[in-house]
Amino acid sequence: TDAFSELMKKYLKGEFWVTEVQIASGQFPHGDISEEEHAELIVKGYVTAFANGAQKVFYTVYLADSHMPPDFRGAALLDIYGKKKPAYLAFQTMVNKLEFFTEARKIATGQYGFIVDDKPVYVLWGNGDLAPEIAGKVRVTDIYGNETIQDAAEITLTGSPVFVEIEQDIIE
């Protein structure tokens, strides 16, 4: 959505929605995408779209069907038996952490800030130093919903996004 957002700012100045989002795991001529990468790409795509000004983002394939082509089955959040794929858990965690956000912004490459219930929630991935505003004791949640409490200085960024919340009243 980076390039599209720039076009919108230049010509239309209005809100936009991202529809027909589909990211697939599986084997493809251009390379394989694991189910873990599928989960990571969904979170990264949504976070980036919201930070670029998208008002809504619609994912297209919820439940796989045996009659679907392989790429559609690979994009589903649930397999053909209804089992939750890693992408489902990542999507669920993202919604739990960012639902009803009132602000989304890009801080740096792979670092995004949201305001949820008047509190900052950061979504981070990649490498490099954290923005100075991310400091002190924090709650770190991976894309599968696993939470830890740690000092922000101990966070090591990887290719997998994490949700970081700064809380004043964290009790270890």
Side-chain angles (χ1 to χ4, degrees):
T1 56
D2 290 337
F4 187 74
S5 177
E6 290 303 314
L7 285 172
M8 291 294 290
K9 289 175 189 171
K10 185 174 181 178
Y11 295 109
L12 297 177
K13 311 257 190 261
E15 71 176 43
F16 66 93
W17 294 5
V18 181
T19 62
E20 304 297 323
V21 173
Q22 176 180 313
I23 300 167
S25 62
Q27 296 178 339
F28 302 97
H30 59 275
D32 298 346
I33 298 175
S34 71
E35 289 198 358
E36 290 73 25
E37 290 170 310
H38 179 214
E40 293 167 2
L41 289 169
I42 286 175
V43 173
K44 290 175 182 179
Y46 271 74
V47 165
T48 302
F50 289 134
N52 280 328
Q55 299 297 307
K56 296 184 185 289
V57 182
F58 298 90
Y59 199 77
T60 59
V61 187
Y62 179 70
L63 174 63
D65 181 299
S66 60
H67 301 294
M68 293 176 167
D71 56 336
F72 279 88
R73 283 195 305 267
L77 302 179
L78 300 174
D79 69 15
I80 61 173
Y81 305 106
K83 181 181 174 213
K84 296 174 184 175
K85 293 170 56 177
Y88 177 96
L89 300 173
F91 196 93
Q92 182 180 45
T93 300
M94 178 183 61
V95 170
N96 288 341
K97 293 296 181 181
L98 302 180
E99 189 170 30
F100 303 117
F101 70 87
T102 55
E103 180 183 321
R105 65 189 169 91
K106 181 177 182 177
I107 299 168
T109 301
Q111 297 188 36
Y112 295 85
F114 288 78
I115 300 297
V116 181
D117 294 330
D118 296 322
K119 295 179 185 174
V121 177
Y122 300 93
V123 187
L124 313 171
W125 67 83
N127 52 38
D129 296 330
L130 298 182
E133 65 195 78
I134 306 170
K137 289 286 183 195
V138 295
R139 179 180 317 277
V140 179
T141 308
D142 69 16
I143 60 175
Y144 304 112
N146 302 306
E147 293 186 347
T148 60
I149 305 295
Q150 64 188 79
D151 192 274
E154 297 171 354
I155 296 173
T156 301
L157 300 180
T158 67
S160 186
V162 292
F163 299 87
V164 176
E165 301 164 87
I166 301 169
E167 298 188 22
Q168 304 302 320
D169 303 323
I170 292 179
I171 300 172
E172 293 188 60

